[in-house]
């Protein structure tokens, strides 16, 4: 139980063998310079399968239950999309094949770019970024090259304090300087404060819409006006686009650059940490700055074009996470315009339903209605010696997953809850009931929380020890 | 169809609980003038069979390399993938789980990635490795940023014989920081010109990148290059092909400081070039400068072994603008593939993959050597890939090869004009049979 | 390759523990003269890629109906299968588990089959059903044996318009017991001739089998036939198409005593005709005479609900020669498919499958009615299948249809010479589009 | 938790929809005679997936751990075989397609028949039987028609008392009369007793080889001679063929008819109860009695032939469980002659290793060496008030599966253990250790056994109540 694959190894076992080699190794031995074995485990197919089945049994996943992780939009991943992305006509393509051999792939990418442009109201999209943060980086590069092209030395990116951590990090690795602005008492950007912070140094305002409190920026029109008036651009982190599908098109309200997370909004699975995909959309004026190659439709078919002297260049070896794109494309095809709007409407309904039920039990700093998610605080449990992390761990004991915790930073003891539209009312009710029971337990027997979890494959792990002395690879001596 | 579960009855009951009468009432914060009028221009919803038919039709407009005898490589390879790898990846416990933020219910993913890290450490001979990067190109770019950070500035030397796509990504990643990148030409054997390195290395050089084997397939004398760099206090970044490491010295042996590479060919399908699997390993001393997620073993309250994400302070959750990089979602599932792949093949099997790729690529090289008009500009010092020069534009040759079911290679002339006209990069993996090689030779013979 | 895990080292250690020196020493009880000398004539072991290549090559020698517009039916149908059904079947918890002998660790299979039983009861309107039989044919044969047992002898009337293959199986199953089987001809509407039934029914008749719809697609007046049989104290065995039950009266409504049928089209691929899914349902009164496994709900020691195999005394484990039948391994996984299929479609979706099959088959019928030279011997009283008679040998027509991507139907003339030359059975499921139907019509037109 | 799919239903939900109907239902309503709904559950795809994932989590299976079920040969099911059986070129075939369109399928069936004939030393095989018992039935039909053809009225089938329950049942449904003969003190057929029981009435001796005690009939040559001398046939239940692969060919030693279980010996999965496949082999003389249609290889290709006036007829709608045949064929191809023999050798080694280790702890009535399995008895635990079923249930608490219990009937408190060759030595050791610990527990704290299992999804279920009053379908009132 709990052994690593190395400990299950026995020299001489095989889970896979190649067909015999029909070419001689003769005269090539001198090219072999590795001394000694790599140290790979040797294990039979049955024991290897059992190894991974054992590990699989220790994972929570969307097919087991709800993931109320705010900002993560963990929705159901349709099975048909997995099947389609697994078709040999997709998985077997080499990226250096002649365009004539990959017309289907290019058609799909072109179709997805167009669909995303329509959904977001943007002029053009690139599918190259491999994740949301990669999209942010790409967006920052575009802003950089845009201002460089205009001979403007704008170095500051304004970021609200409620923003996701990747926002300032993306800004920084691009050579820009992030400047944080405070949210107002409604959890929103205050146009008055913004007006003061934005100036000729400002390259971009990087906002999240709906923001990470689950709130729509009510003054968004004014916010955009202020930024544009200062000659700066508005970047939208579209990780929360789920709430806006068919309801608001960012391009229509003046967003210049944005990314979406296909692995959230468009239902591609998260794979325990990836792969994702973070396409970036820009307004028509900025289209030439998008990374190359771009997929262009010509009369004779699709081509990959590198013709652009304004492009920021490449940001991925090839065309991004193609396999993920297939799933997102299938998803959009299946839902169509009406289905996508229903996604947004039901995600908003589910969030408000759950918020409404839980806001008495936990405290709600910023009043609703919310969009697709909301942020509660467990600070009312502090008096019982209970923290948000304890609530989270206790949820695990009930066989549920915890919400996002301690984020956004501006809410004390935050519990960020996004139910998503694929959860049924019964599931929301069951979750709410457990949340209520836990609040009750916090008062009556707080040790149930502080000592939680007890019913999981392991109990709370010593993270401090791990970070003092990380054990990052298995070594025989250590056992 | 849609995956929403609420029925009209549910909606009514929920709205009643909230105390509003229509979902639209919840949209109050969104000014009406900002809203979309009518439907998006996206077409009608489709049923599952319709979506399937539409996507199948699109997939059939492709002619996948995997269905032909493919000699395309250049970073992405057509290799055998054991059924057990596909099976593991098909388990929804792995593919539908989120980033393991709640360690207690994510031990499956965490242990799998810990094993992946251990395997990469063994392959590279390094002390620490992260849980994956987007691809080999961004991994190299991040390694350069990391080296630049460690050395607090300085230029970086890279081999000219590096994938042109990787070089392009490197430029995009470094231009914001104003890092100077200089290409070191290759010599007549296709190796990184050591004299040029010597010339270009300055006291302040941050790092020298060595690609092993390089983009043209040539095996570098990495140890010599590393020594040169270390002599001048520059860091050594090795960009390596993971399969080659079954046979070539691990970068740990020549004391590389950072090791990166593209792991697609460890059990991942080609997928038109994505998702890929960037890996990165380094010395323990640089662990805290390394970007990306790290999984560590630890003990639980009861003293039971378990796994956690660690050193998250390096990541953007906490330090935000001071994070070592912005990477958050990575390529976890591809790392899982790699771990399952390496475990399925084991020591012997993995070595066999490398040996077959080596011996088959050399067998083709030898067959072509016999064909007149067929130039092989570099020597026999290569792993799995080599440059073939036919001397004239390739269009016709490639077409003929394709008609015979062969994808002959990647055209090089645009990116490497110094190789002259008609140069292609030919990759031979364990999947090719001797008959494929002979067919290749016959086409060259017929066309040359 | 092999799936054996012992290494030579393991073998040595194990032999030592046993106290012998070679595995051969354990073969002492097998006289040397009885043993095989040398190797079997089976060829060399293959690696996984070789086996895969060999089987893929074989599969490509087939031209599957599913890749064409297929109008083949006769018991096995080409229907849409929801992805969720394939997914459930791909979970090794289901497909690699054994018969649920240890109920406490088999609740997954047990509950799934309990749900299957519940669904079949709902479809058929019967009280009890078993956990599956080999196929519709053996289910009918077992039903006849069961009826014969209940009535302690007596002849059995079956419709002439029953699948010739089912009739053949029935003969094989009943000849050992000497049961007399008599065919009742069909009348000019294709229905079971009621006057003939009346004639053939004797006081001692054990059972009358009614097929609904019958093999020629015709919807029988099952209630009338059942009443006739019950009047003479014969049992009524209904052989039903499960999809038709979305629209037709459930056999429970006409008081059938035993209901059997072929469940392949509930979520199972055609698979060249196997595995299939025989189902059987009956009245509670006959429960203990019913063959096959039964799953029952129950409570555990703590009062928690769970599921167990029950009435095993009917089976061969315990009563051996007195068992109700010899069936042991059944078609559990196909029953699981059926349960997942019916649950995925739900009330509305399942009805839609039947409605589309009904309306599309009638649409084709109407199109063909317009074509001269095209005879449709029976009326419009059919579900999803009908007889088309072209009057002349079919070879040419079938070939032309095939060339147009159409499998036009099953030839009937050999089995039903009374239908005259050129008769085929045409099935139309929900998978066919109006365009397919028009194409079919055009070919008939061109060829007739 | 633990709800049926009916209880998770909510009217209006859908997990699957068809494309719109492009043909009118007009004028057909009169054909619709069902009154009222069927009563199918309505549930969304996500909740349906979760339903089955929840059920899956409550199943033991071979990828979780060892199945020491004697006589069941639960071995590893290679993944590649599942993939290959799932190829569209196989799954998409309709059985009434023209033979010209199914040449691959016929080639595969012909190849499998030939391979089985070679492995078993038989003249010909049919692949039609859908399971082992179906094969037994087919074999009995063949014997019946054979004697009928010769005008002999032989009605008796002799069956050893150690036989599997399906043997006498198959005999009975075929119209024959089973006659049981006692095994001798070695657990074997006694030629002297046999000689007395076999006469002109005897049609067949139906034996299992190795028998269900895991023993090879040492006197098999003599046994066969006695039966043949009496003009009767020898039928072999080949469910235990795993031990003989490449070692003994039944045809060579005089077996006339036999079946094999592909879902045991040839690694096709058992599917929680099926589908299986029980091909029947006969000696050359009996080949014409095999069911029709038969696959014949001609110069121009494969055909399906029904030409045989001796055939017993059809015993399956079409050609048997084709999808299972594909897996067995792939398995045989992969293993080849040497691999198959290794299977037998290692299954024998594993069984003897485990028997050797456990025979002190539990009692062994019939001494070894055994073949692929062995039968222990837990009667030595009876004095502690513990029965075999308690040992079985306690094994479940350790996360293992139980052996076959109370069979064969001739061993009191039987524990029939077949480790199979795909289990590693480590797995056998772990199993043995638990078996030893349980024997210890039986002495020290028998309630651990009698109250077991405690760590399973449910505890011991009331089987008596179920059989008194079976609850065979879910009904809303009952909840
Ligand atoms: C609001 C927001 N922005 C950005 C990101 C980063 O996306 P990724 O993890 O795909 O890089 C996330 C993901 O957690 C997010 O929630
Ligand atoms: C010895 C023996 N004979 C016959 C059978 C019956 O086989 P099946 O279950 O496939 O009908 C079995 C299966 O358990 C068996 O072990």
């Amino acid at each position: 139980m709990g052994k690593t694959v190395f400990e299950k190894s026995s020299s001489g076992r095989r889970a896979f063998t190649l067909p015999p080699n029909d070419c001689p190794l003769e005269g090539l031995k001198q090219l072999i310079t590795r001394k000694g074995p790599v140290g790979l485990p040797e294990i039979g197919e049955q024991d290897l399968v059992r190894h991974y089945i054992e590990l699989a049994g220790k994972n929570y996943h969307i097919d087991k239950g709800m993931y109320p992780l705010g900002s993560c939009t963990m929705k159901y991943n349709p099975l048909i999309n997995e099947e389609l992305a697994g078709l040999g006509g997709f998985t077997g393509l080499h990226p250096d094949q002649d365009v004539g051999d990959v017309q289907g792939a290019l058609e799909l990418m072109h179709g997805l770019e167009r669909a995303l442009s329509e959904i977001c109201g943007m002029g053009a999209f690139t599918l190259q970024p491999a994740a949301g943060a990669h999209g942010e980086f790409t967006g920052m590069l575009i802003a950089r090259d845009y201002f460089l092209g205009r001979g403007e030395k704008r170095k500051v990116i304004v970021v609200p304090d409620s923003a996701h951590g990747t926002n300032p990090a993306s800004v920084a690795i691009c050579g820009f300087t992030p400047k944080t602005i405070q949210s107002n008492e409604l959890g929103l950007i205050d146009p008055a404060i913004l007006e003061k912070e934005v100036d000729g140094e400002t390259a971009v305002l990087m906002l999240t819409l709906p923001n990470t409190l689950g709130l729509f920026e009510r003054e968004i029109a004014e916010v955009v006006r202020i930024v544009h008036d200062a000659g700066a651009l508005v970047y939208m982190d579209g990780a929360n686009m789920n709430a806006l599908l068919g309801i608001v098109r960012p391009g229509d309200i003046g967003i210049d650059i944005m990314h979406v997370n296909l692995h959230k909004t468009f239902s591609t699975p998260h794979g325990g940490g990836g792969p994702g995909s973070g396409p970036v959309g820009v307004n028509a004026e900025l289209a030439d700055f998008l990374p190359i190659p771009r997929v262009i439709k010509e009369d004779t078919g699709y081509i990959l074009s590198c013709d652009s002297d304004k492009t920021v260049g490449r940001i991925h070896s090839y065309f991004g996470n193609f396999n993920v794109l297939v799933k997102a494309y299938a998803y959009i095809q299946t839902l169509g315009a009406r289905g996508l709007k229903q996604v947004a409407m039901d995600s908003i309904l589910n969030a408000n339903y759950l918020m409404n039920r839980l806001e008495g039990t936990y405290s709600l700093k910023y009043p609703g209605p919310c969009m697709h998610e909301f942020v509660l605080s467990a600070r009312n449990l502090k008096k019982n010696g209970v923290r948000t992390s304890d609530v989270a761990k206790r949820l695990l004991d009930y066989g549920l997953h915890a919400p996002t915790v301690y984020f956004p930073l501006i809410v004390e003891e935050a519990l960020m809850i996004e139910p998503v539209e694929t959860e049924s009312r019964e599931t929301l009710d069951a979750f709410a009931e457990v949340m209520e029971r836990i609040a009750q337990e916090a008062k009556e027997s707080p040790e149930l929380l502080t000592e939680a979890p007890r019913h999981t494959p392991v109990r709370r792990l010593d993270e401090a020890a791990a970070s003092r002395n990380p054990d990052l690879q298995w070594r025989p001596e250590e056992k | 169809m849609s995956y929403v579960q609420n029925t009209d009855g549910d909606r009514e009951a929920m709205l009643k609980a909230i105390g509003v009468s229509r979902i639209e009432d919840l949209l109050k914060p969104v000014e009406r003038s900002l809203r979309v009028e009518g439907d998006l221009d996206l077409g009608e919803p489709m049923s599952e069979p319709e979506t399937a038919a539409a996507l199948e039709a699109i997939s059939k407009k492709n002619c996948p390399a995997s269905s032909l005898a493919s000699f395309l490589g250049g970073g992405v390879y057509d290799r055998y993938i054991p059924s057990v790898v596909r099976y593991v990846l098909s388990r929804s416990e792995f593919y539908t789980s989120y980033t393991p933020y709640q360690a207690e219910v994510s031990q499956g993913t965490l242990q799998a990635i810990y094993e992946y890290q251990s395997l990469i450490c063994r392959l590279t001979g390094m002390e620490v490795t992260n849980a994956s990067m987007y691809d080999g190109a961004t991994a190299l770019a991040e390694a350069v940023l990391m080296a630049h950070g460690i050395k607090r500035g300085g230029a970086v030397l890279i081999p000219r014989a590096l994938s042109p796509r990787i070089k392009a990504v490197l430029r995009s990643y470094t231009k914001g920081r104003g890092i100077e990148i200089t290409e070191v030409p290759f010599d007549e054997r296709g190796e990184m010109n050591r004299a040029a390195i010597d010339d270009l290395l300055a006291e302040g050089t941050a790092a020298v990148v060595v690609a092993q084997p390089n983009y043209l397939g040539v095996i570098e004398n990495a140890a010599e290059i590393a020594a040169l760099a270390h002599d001048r206090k520059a860091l050594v970044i090795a960009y390596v092909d993971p399969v080659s490491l079954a046979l070539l010295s691990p970068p740990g042996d020549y004391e590389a400081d950072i090791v990166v590479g593209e792991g697609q060919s460890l059990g991942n399908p080609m997928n038109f070039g994505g998702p890929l699997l960037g890996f990165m390993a380094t010395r323990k001393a640089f662990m805290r400068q390394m970007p990306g997620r790290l999984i560590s073993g630890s003990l639980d309250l009861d003293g039971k072994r378990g796994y956690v994400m660690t050193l998250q302070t390096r990541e953007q959750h906490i330090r935000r603008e001071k994070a070592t990089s912005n990477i958050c979602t990575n390529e976890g599932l591809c790392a899982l593939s790699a771990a399952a792949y390496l475990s399925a093949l084991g020591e012997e099997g993995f070595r066999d993959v490398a040996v077959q790729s080596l011996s088959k690529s050399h067998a083709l090289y030898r067959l072509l050597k016999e064909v007149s008009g067929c130039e092989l500009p570099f020597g026999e010092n290569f792993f799995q890939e080599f440059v073939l020069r036919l001397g004239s534009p390739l269009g016709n040759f490639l077409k003929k090869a394709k008609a015979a079911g062969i994808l002959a290679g990647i055209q090089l002339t645009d990116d490497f004009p110094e190789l002259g006209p008609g140069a292609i990069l030919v990759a031979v993996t364990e999947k090719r049979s001797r008959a494929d090689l002979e067919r290749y030779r016959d086409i060259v013979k017929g066309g040359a």
Side-chain angles (χ1 to χ4, degrees), chain A, chain B:
Chain A
M1 282 294 289
K3 283 188 184 166
T4 63
V5 70
F6 302 102
E7 293 157 287
K8 294 174 180 175
S9 166
S10 179
S11 169
R13 293 198 185 138
R14 303 292 286 268
F16 184 81
T17 48
L18 292 185
N21 190 358
D22 56 9
C23 292
L25 186 61
E26 269 152 54
L28 298 170
K29 295 254 166 73
Q30 81 287 354
L31 295 176
I32 300 178
T33 50
R34 180 183 266 274
K35 295 175 200 72
V38 175
L40 300 184
E42 304 211 310
I43 182 167
E45 183 174 319
Q46 155 133 307
D47 281 348
L48 188 58
V49 168
R50 284 189 185 156
H51 180 63
Y52 283 110
I53 291 289
E54 181 190 328
L55 294 187
K58 296 181 181 171
N59 258 12
Y60 193 89
H61 57 118
I62 195 80
D63 292 346
K64 183 156 187 249
M66 174 183 186
Y67 261 109
L69 281 170
S71 204
C72 298
T73 316
M74 277 295 280
K75 59 170 72 176
Y76 178 62
N77 307 129
L79 296 165
I80 187 69
N81 299 352
E82 289 301 311
E83 283 188 24
L84 297 171
L87 291 172
F90 294 133
T91 59
L93 292 178
H94 189 285
D96 282 307
Q97 283 190 255
D98 195 86
V99 285
D101 288 348
V102 299
Q103 285 296 304
L106 300 183
E107 175 184 335
L108 187 145
M109 289 167 65
H110 191 260
L112 181 57
E113 285 178 7
R114 288 197 35 197
L116 293 175
S117 298
E118 169 65 16
I119 292 165
C120 298
M122 303 306 286
F125 256 88
T126 176
L127 306 173
Q128 246 183 75
H134 204 201
E136 296 167 19
F137 170 74
T138 306
M140 290 302 106
L141 275 186
I142 290 169
R144 177 184 173 280
D145 284 5
Y146 168 76
F147 288 115
L148 216 62
R150 296 167 61 100
E152 295 188 50
K153 292 218 172 56
R154 293 172 180 254
K155 280 281 163 210
V156 175
I157 311 276
V158 175
V159 185
D161 55 2
S162 61
H164 194 262
T166 52
N167 290 187
S170 298
V171 165
I173 63 158
C174 228
F176 283 116
T177 310
K179 182 200 264 185
T180 303
I181 55 162
Q182 268 198 346
S183 307
N184 67 14
E185 70 295 346
L186 295 171
L188 302 173
I189 298 174
D190 194 322
I193 298 178
L194 183 70
E195 188 102 54
K196 271 184 252 155
E197 299 290 351
V198 167
D199 56 26
E201 291 276 275
T202 308
V204 176
L205 166 68
M206 193 171 194
L207 55 74
T208 304
L209 195 70
N211 72 14
T212 60
L213 295 162
L215 302 174
F216 192 83
E217 296 287 349
R218 289 171 184 250
E219 308 272 10
I220 185 71
E222 179 63 3
V223 164
V224 168
R225 187 200 55 74
I226 292 169
V227 176
H228 283 170
D229 282 356
L233 299 172
V234 183
Y235 182 98
M236 175 176 137
D237 178 335
N240 291 342
M241 189 69 203
N242 211 48
L244 303 185
L245 297 170
I247 298 177
V248 175
R249 305 200 319 159
D252 292 354
I253 62 175
I255 301 299
D256 301 295
I257 316 176
M258 71 177 293
H259 79 267
V260 291
N261 280 6
L262 299 185
H263 49 302
K264 300 181 198 272
T265 312
F266 297 96
S267 99
T268 70
H270 199 275
S277 176
V280 167
V282 292
N283 65 37
E285 201 192 335
L286 294 172
D288 288 343
F289 290 92
L290 289 178
I292 49 160
R294 294 188 59 194
V295 183
I296 311 283
K297 185 175 182 176
E298 301 203 326
D299 287 350
T300 50
Y302 296 90
I303 60 157
L304 285 165
S305 162
C306 292
D307 286 352
S308 166
D309 41 11
K310 289 191 182 159
T311 176
V312 297
R314 278 180 191 269
I315 52 105
H316 185 267
S317 297
Y318 300 99
F319 322 112
N321 284 344
F322 177 74
N323 172 271
V324 177
L325 308 180
V326 177
K327 299 175 200 180
Y329 183 76
Y331 179 75
I332 293 171
Q333 292 273 304
T334 299
L335 267 60
R338 278 186 287 126
L340 285 176
K341 181 163 180 182
Q342 198 63 57
V343 163
M345 297 299 260
D346 276 303
S347 76
I348 292 168
L349 176 62
N350 280 3
N352 279 283
Y353 176 72
L354 205 53
M355 181 178 80
N356 182 71
R357 170 141 178 197
L358 289 176
E359 66 175 312
T361 313
Y362 295 84
S363 64
L364 180 72
K365 186 166 167 195
Y366 303 105
C370 63
M371 297 294 281
H372 64 298
E373 66 187 354
F374 57 96
V375 183
L376 297 174
S377 166
R379 77 194 144 97
N380 54 331
L381 306 183
K382 261 188 159 168
K383 58 182 180 298
N384 307 304
V386 164
R387 298 205 50 202
T388 286
S389 51
D390 302 321
V391 174
K393 297 306 178 196
R394 184 61 182 154
L395 274 161
L396 309 184
D397 269 343
Y398 282 100
L400 293 166
H401 201 275
T404 298
V405 290
Y406 300 112
F407 178 74
L409 307 179
I410 56 174
V411 175
E412 188 191 345
E413 299 293 313
L415 282 159
M416 185 185 199
I417 298 175
E418 178 177 8
V420 313
E421 76 285 353
T422 56
E423 297 301 339
S424 67
R425 177 157 66 107
E426 294 89 318
T427 303
L428 304 186
D429 286 341
F431 175 76
E433 217 165 276
V434 171
M435 285 293 284
E436 286 160 0
R437 196 176 313 166
I438 290 174
Q440 195 63 28
E441 288 173 350
K443 284 176 212 144
E444 292 165 5
S445 16
E447 72 289 354
L448 283 178
L449 282 72
T450 53
E451 291 172 14
R454 289 195 164 274
H455 308 310
T456 44
V458 290
R459 298 190 56 206
R460 271 191 228 192
L461 288 150
D462 192 343
E463 300 193 356
S467 88
R468 269 195 315 274
N469 192 10
D471 155 19
L472 304 178
Q473 65 159 310
W474 185 84
R475 284 206 184 83
E477 317 77 79
E478 292 177 358
K479 293 285 94 43
Chain B
M1 80 172 274
S2 130
Y3 301 98
V4 160
Q5 302 217 49
N6 289 337
T7 63
D8 284 342
D10 292 325
R11 289 189 189 105
E12 210 172 297
M14 292 163 82
L15 288 166
K16 202 165 151 199
I18 299 169
V20 298
S21 56
R22 301 173 330 133
I23 304 187
E24 283 70 17
D25 297 344
L26 300 169
L27 289 181
K28 233 177 12 193
V30 186
E31 236 178 72
R32 201 162 279 281
S33 65
L34 301 178
R35 300 196 207 157
V36 175
E37 278 175 52
D39 280 347
L40 296 176
D41 182 15
L42 286 174
E44 286 300 298
M46 282 185 180
S47 62
E48 180 177 304
E50 289 168 296
T51 301
L55 275 275
E56 274 160 22
I58 291 178
S59 83
K60 288 197 180 125
K61 295 181 189 168
N62 298 321
C63 173
S66 58
S67 67
L68 304 169
S70 169
F71 292 84
L72 298 174
V76 169
Y77 300 94
D78 181 25
R79 298 201 179 284
Y80 287 121
I81 301 177
S83 54
V84 57
V85 176
R86 283 187 292 277
Y87 182 70
V88 170
L89 274 267
S90 79
R91 291 287 300 198
S92 60
E93 289 93 334
F94 292 118
Y95 79 80
T96 75
S97 59
Y98 199 68
T99 300
Y101 286 139
Q102 295 292 340
E104 298 85 352
V105 292
S106 309
Q107 289 296 303
T109 292
L110 287 164
Q111 183 176 332
I113 301 300
Y114 176 80
E115 292 180 3
Y116 160 80
Q117 291 178 176
S118 307
L119 289 160
I120 294 292
C121 284
R122 284 167 181 233
L123 263 185
T124 56
M126 303 299 286
E127 290 166 316
V128 295
T129 184
N130 70 17
S132 81
M133 320 284 291
Y134 303 138
D135 63 1
T138 58
L140 179 61
E142 296 266 14
V144 165
L145 294 179
M146 176 179 158
H148 191 256
I150 291 170
K151 301 299 272 185
R152 298 176 200 278
V156 174
L157 305 187
I158 63 169
R160 170 138 181 83
L162 188 65
S163 157
R165 287 169 294 271
I166 295 179
K167 286 190 264 185
V169 171
L170 189 57
R171 273 194 297 276
S172 307
Y173 262 74
T174 51
K175 64 184 176 188
R177 298 273 185 90
I179 302 173
E180 190 189 317
I181 306 281
T182 309
E183 288 190 15
V184 179
F186 46 85
D187 62 20
E188 69 292 347
R189 289 163 310 172
E191 294 179 37
M192 203 169 175
N193 191 318
R194 249 96 82 215
I197 299 175
D198 213 42
D199 281 356
L200 291 164
L201 263 174
E203 262 322 313
T205 303
V208 176
V209 174
V210 56
Q212 180 71 313
N214 69 27
Y215 184 65
L216 305 175
V218 176
I219 301 175
E220 300 277 3
N221 191 329
E224 216 175 288
I225 297 166
L228 269 175
H230 280 155
D231 274 357
R232 308 280 183 91
K233 307 257 180 317
L235 296 178
V236 172
I237 300 175
Y239 186 89
V240 295
D241 173 86
V243 172
S244 76
L245 292 179
L247 303 181
L248 303 185
S249 285
D253 279 10
Y254 45 86
E255 296 181 347
D257 299 287
I258 311 176
V259 180
V260 289
E262 174 51 59
Q264 171 272 333
S265 77
L266 303 176
N268 290 283
M270 296 182 287
N271 267 323
F272 204 36
L276 300 173
L277 169 63
F279 60 87
M280 176 183 279
T282 189
R283 314 171 166 280
K284 198 149 194 181
F286 299 147
M287 176 172 67
R288 281 163 213 268
Q289 280 77 46
M290 180 165 58
R293 214 166 274 155
L294 297 176
I295 312 300
S296 171
S298 188
L299 298 177
D300 81 354
L301 271 180
D302 299 335
K304 201 168 153 186
R305 186 167 175 83
Y307 303 90
V308 292
M309 292 206 275
T310 195
L311 302 185
Q312 289 187 69
T313 44
R314 293 154 40 259
E315 295 182 72
Q316 53 317 114
H317 301 294
I318 296 163
R319 297 234 294 171
R320 300 173 71 99
E321 48 267 42
K322 301 229 164 43
T324 51
S325 102
N326 72 338
I327 189 169
C328 179
T329 291
N330 56 23
E331 309 289 318
L333 204 67
C334 304
L336 173 62
S337 279
Y341 176 83
L342 290 168
S343 302
L345 283 154
E347 187 72 30
E348 286 302 314
F350 185 59
R351 189 183 163 90
D352 200 21
V353 171
V355 163
Q356 293 210 18
S357 302
L358 179 72
S359 46
K360 289 177 173 181
S361 58
H362 280 263
L364 179 59
Y365 181 95
R366 289 169 192 177
L367 284 173
L368 294 175
K369 223 171 159 178
E370 304 294 306
V371 180
S372 73
C374 192
E375 286 177 69
L376 299 157
F378 308 123
E380 298 206 3
N381 184 33
F382 65 86
F383 176 76
Q384 134 183 317
E385 255 165 316
F386 59 87
V387 176
L388 163 66
R389 186 160 58 207
L390 293 174
S392 52
L394 289 165
N396 230 348
F397 167 68
L398 295 177
K399 234 180 252 155
K400 262 174 50 188
K402 174 76 196 301
I406 284 177
L407 298 175
I410 299 174
Q411 304 198 47
L412 290 171
T413 311
D414 284 355
D415 293 310
F416 298 95
E418 65 268 46
L419 290 176
I424 55 175
L425 183 62
V426 183
V428 190
T429 71
E430 80 281 3
K431 268 182 99 169
R432 301 284 71 80
S433 67
R434 186 151 188 102
D436 292 337
L437 310 185
E438 286 165 1
R439 219 148 33 99
Y440 194 112
R441 187 258 331 263
D442 294 344
I443 291 158
V444 172
K445 222 172 180 171

